[in-house]
Amino acid sequence: MHLIEQFLQFEEDNNLFNLSIYGIKFWSAVRFNIYNSIYKLRYKTESNHPSLNKTSIIKKIYFKIAQVNNFISKNPMWFLRQKDILVLNHSRRVFNGKSYECIYTDELLKNLKWSYYVFEEPYYEKHFKKIETENIRYLDYVNFKAALKKIYFKLTKKYIFKEEQKKDIEKLINRINKEFDVSLNKEEITSIIQNYILSYKAAYDYYLKILNVVQPKVILEVVSYGRSRYIINEIAKIKGIKVIELQHGAMGKYHVAYNFFKKRNISTFPDYIFTFGEYWNNVTRFPIDDSRIIATGFPYYDKKTIEYKNENSIEEDKKIILFISQGAIGKSLSKFACELNKIIDKKNYRIIFKLHPSEYSRWKSEYLCLKESGIEVIDNNLKDIYYFLSKSYCQVGVSSTAIFEGLGFNLKTYIVKLPGYEYFEDLIRIGYVKLVDSAEAIVEDLNVASYNVDYDSGKFYRKNSLFNINNSIQSLID
């Protein structure tokens, strides 16, 4: 039994979704972090995204001071009006040559006929400058006010766990450790739960006030498993506001945020999911009714595939082997790339190693073999992933969504057998991609002259996405 199957069964058997502290059913909001903690211990992986917890106090204070201007110029609570749609975008923006854009919402907003606000979380306490997104507000002010309120709660012992509550949580952690044969840090897991309770109580009234004023008919969000999303989604359900999540990455049956043992009403989960294509609807065990899971497509993907295919790609003197990295397996994948670099025919091939944004600041200190290998490493967002996909002959990765996008460029695809490769088990089975466990296996396969895979990319990314999304929103607003 795979870990996620065991985890979903454990949730069901122990009735975890009904656990409540201070009137808050907290499990749906902490399960993602707890599962990932178990996963890291079981498979010895790194974190996908670096934490701000390791940042010095002085730097954190500097970040807050730098946000003061946003409190005034883009305050999410000042001078609000009623709007049809409230958009919660992705704060990790990509440079398009002129400005930084949210690839999941900006293309849609340019073609949206309804009035809207965009609310943006800081990306590691900062926002990308030089943007063209209209009607945008930053959530820095709400986060700051909520942080002050949390300090007050701690000083007055309000909503702080009592001994009996701590014992109940400790019993739960003991059951988890026994079931999964791991040693979760009890203080760390207790802190995750405590922090969510405090954050919920501290931020709830601010988000309620925003929704009371804006009164959106629909909320469009990216990444529904973030703290602010959990709280906003719960308020929206109470107020009867429909919440739609736009898919932003690989889902499938191994992404715990989207997989549940059975259909159930979860207050923190969106009401509708707009997926990239039918493939994702069929391989993910969403808790909502199937009629609320709609394959609409991905506007940015549509735009970029057309753009680069019209350029007929870019001729290279050597065939490019593109490695697509991720934080959790970056060290292992970088070693794999270095091994491959030693044995490939360098007259005909060269390697590009595309880092995930979470790896940009740390790869030089952590991926030592890569630093000294001579491999071209991409550690910035100056060119999007589609630029590199359009230049490449084949791609190598583990579970990144970009690999699915690479299939749209008809790239020969290798999945390295590292934790997370299970995301591609269906495509491995039918031969769309090839599972490899050594650099030698790639070299051997590269020598195969022909490469023809007959698949329908529309299964992964439905075409006419802008029309599909607008049409689906219209039906919900009506």
Side-chain angles (χ1 to χ4, degrees):
M1 181 186 292
H2 190 277
L3 177 61
I4 195 165
E5 310 293 345
Q6 187 181 1
F7 185 79
L8 299 184
Q9 184 70 60
F10 179 80
E11 288 181 315
E12 187 67 20
D13 292 345
N14 289 273
N15 200 27
L16 299 187
F17 288 98
N18 287 323
L19 294 180
S20 176
I21 297 178
Y22 292 118
I24 300 171
K25 291 184 177 180
F26 61 85
W27 181 254
S28 63
V30 301
R31 66 192 289 269
F32 179 78
N33 288 333
I34 291 176
Y35 176 81
N36 284 336
S37 296
I38 297 169
Y39 190 95
K40 282 193 290 183
L41 290 174
R42 173 76 67 88
Y43 298 111
K44 297 178 174 57
T45 62
E46 303 290 329
S47 294
N48 259 319
H49 303 284
S51 172
L52 274 171
N53 294 335
K54 297 178 181 178
T55 306
S56 68
I57 295 294
I58 293 175
K59 205 165 186 179
K60 286 181 179 179
I61 293 173
Y62 169 77
F63 285 149
K64 288 301 176 187
I65 293 173
Q67 290 176 357
V68 170
N69 182 56
N70 296 335
F71 295 177
I72 301 169
S73 63
K74 288 182 169 45
N75 193 303
M77 303 190 71
W78 290 0
F79 309 113
L80 291 178
R81 297 179 180 180
Q82 193 278 325
K83 299 287 184 182
D84 296 322
I85 299 176
L86 181 63
V87 180
L88 307 175
N89 72 343
H90 201 307
S91 57
R92 188 184 71 219
R93 291 172 172 266
V94 173
F95 191 63
N96 63 17
K98 296 186 295 183
S99 61
Y100 288 93
E101 61 182 332
C102 168
I103 65 173
Y104 307 105
T105 60
D106 278 8
E107 194 63 28
L108 175 61
L109 295 179
K110 294 172 189 173
N111 298 274
L112 206 61
K113 65 180 181 180
W114 298 278
S115 61
Y116 64 86
Y117 281 124
V118 177
F119 279 17
E120 181 173 288
E121 291 277 8
Y123 183 66
Y124 295 109
E125 295 300 323
K126 295 185 288 185
H127 295 271
F128 290 92
K129 301 303 179 183
K130 201 174 182 182
I131 66 171
E132 296 181 2
T133 311
E134 297 180 354
N135 305 318
I136 190 167
R137 304 293 183 94
Y138 293 153
L139 286 170
D140 307 24
Y141 178 77
V142 172
N143 292 344
F144 178 70
K145 294 283 285 185
L148 292 179
K149 213 168 182 181
K150 282 171 67 176
I151 293 172
Y152 168 76
F153 289 157
K154 289 177 182 178
L155 290 174
T156 58
K157 304 293 183 184
K158 195 171 185 179
Y159 305 120
I160 300 299
F161 291 161
K162 298 179 174 58
E163 285 305 313
E164 185 177 346
Q165 292 166 328
K166 287 181 182 178
K167 287 179 181 177
D168 288 340
I169 293 171
E170 187 173 330
K171 289 177 184 176
L172 171 60
I173 297 169
N174 287 338
R175 291 206 304 274
I176 292 172
N177 284 337
K178 182 178 179 182
E179 171 70 25
F180 299 99
D181 192 24
V182 294
S183 297
L184 290 180
N185 184 298
K186 293 178 183 178
E187 289 76 19
E188 184 179 314
I189 301 302
T190 302
S191 177
I192 288 173
I193 299 171
Q194 174 70 90
N195 194 43
Y196 177 70
I197 299 291
L198 291 175
S199 297
Y200 182 98
K201 292 292 187 181
Y204 189 95
D205 287 343
Y206 298 113
Y207 291 127
L208 177 60
K209 184 176 181 180
I210 289 169
L211 292 181
N212 280 340
V213 176
V214 178
Q215 298 179 23
K217 298 179 178 70
V218 164
I219 294 174
L220 275 178
E221 66 184 15
V222 183
V223 191
S224 63
Y225 49 95
R227 188 183 300 160
S228 62
R229 269 55 163 175
Y230 291 137
I231 302 169
I232 290 171
N233 290 355
E234 190 160 296
I235 296 172
K237 274 192 170 56
I238 294 170
K239 294 180 67 61
I241 301 168
K242 300 179 181 74
V243 178
I244 304 165
E245 178 173 9
L246 301 174
Q247 183 177 351
H248 75 285
M251 290 180 168
K253 64 183 179 182
Y254 295 107
H255 196 316
V256 71
Y258 300 106
N259 283 271
F260 297 80
F261 185 80
K262 65 181 183 182
K263 302 291 185 185
R264 63 191 332 136
N265 180 28
I266 297 175
S267 62
T268 57
F269 199 83
D271 301 298
Y272 296 84
I273 302 284
F274 286 3
T275 64
F276 295 154
E278 288 292 341
Y279 171 81
W280 308 98
N281 300 28
N282 298 328
V283 297
T284 313
R285 293 161 289 185
F286 296 107
I288 57 179
D289 190 78
D290 290 347
S291 63
R292 293 174 174 241
I293 306 158
I294 305 168
T296 55
F298 183 13
Y300 189 78
Y301 176 81
D302 286 353
K303 175 185 174 182
K304 286 298 179 177
T305 50
I306 293 170
E307 178 183 318
Y308 285 116
K309 284 179 179 179
N310 285 343
E311 291 179 5
N312 294 319
S313 190
I314 300 163
E315 291 298 324
E316 291 289 322
D317 57 340
K318 297 178 182 180
K319 293 178 179 177
I320 292 174
I321 302 172
L322 178 65
F323 273 77
I324 300 173
S325 187
Q326 295 164 271
I329 47 79
K331 284 183 184 178
S332 299
L333 192 63
S334 67
K335 291 176 183 176
F336 191 99
C338 291
E339 288 299 313
L340 181 61
N341 193 52
K342 292 175 184 176
I343 61 176
I344 58 170
D345 176 4
K346 291 190 174 62
K347 290 181 181 178
N348 294 313
Y349 296 98
R350 71 184 179 96
I351 294 174
I352 292 179
F353 198 91
K354 176 66 177 74
L355 294 165
H356 186 274
S358 66
E359 300 171 290
Y360 290 170
S361 63
R362 58 190 175 91
W363 77 271
K364 289 181 180 178
S365 61
E366 297 183 16
Y367 305 174
L368 298 181
C369 78
L370 192 62
K371 183 181 177 183
E372 300 165 1
S373 67
I375 291 172
E376 182 181 354
V377 178
I378 308 301
D379 59 359
N380 57 68
N381 283 350
L382 295 180
K383 289 186 173 68
D384 60 44
I385 188 64
Y386 303 102
Y387 171 82
F388 298 102
L389 293 174
S390 71
K391 292 176 66 176
S392 300
Y393 171 70
C394 66
Q395 58 179 343
V396 184
V398 178
S399 61
S400 172
T401 314
I403 297 170
F404 288 95
E405 294 168 320
L407 293 175
F409 287 85
N410 201 37
L411 296 188
K412 197 167 191 175
T413 301
Y414 301 101
I415 303 300
V416 182
K417 197 172 183 180
L418 290 171
Y421 81 91
E422 303 92 352
Y423 275 83
F424 283 90
E425 63 183 9
D426 292 334
L427 302 190
I428 292 167
R429 188 181 66 253
I430 61 179
Y432 281 13
V433 302
K434 187 177 182 67
L435 182 66
V436 294
D437 57 9
S438 70
E440 289 78 8
I442 290 182
V443 171
E444 183 179 336
D445 196 71
L446 284 173
N447 292 327
V448 176
S450 61
Y451 175 64
N452 291 301
V453 175
D454 183 21
Y455 68 89
D456 177 12
S457 61
K459 290 181 180 178
F460 306 115
Y461 296 93
R462 187 181 175 190
K463 294 177 171 47
N464 300 316
S465 55
L466 283 173
F467 172 81
N468 298 332
I469 293 174
N470 275 292
N471 197 44
S472 295
I473 292 174
Q474 180 72 65
S475 65
L476 293 180
I477 287 180
D478 288 344

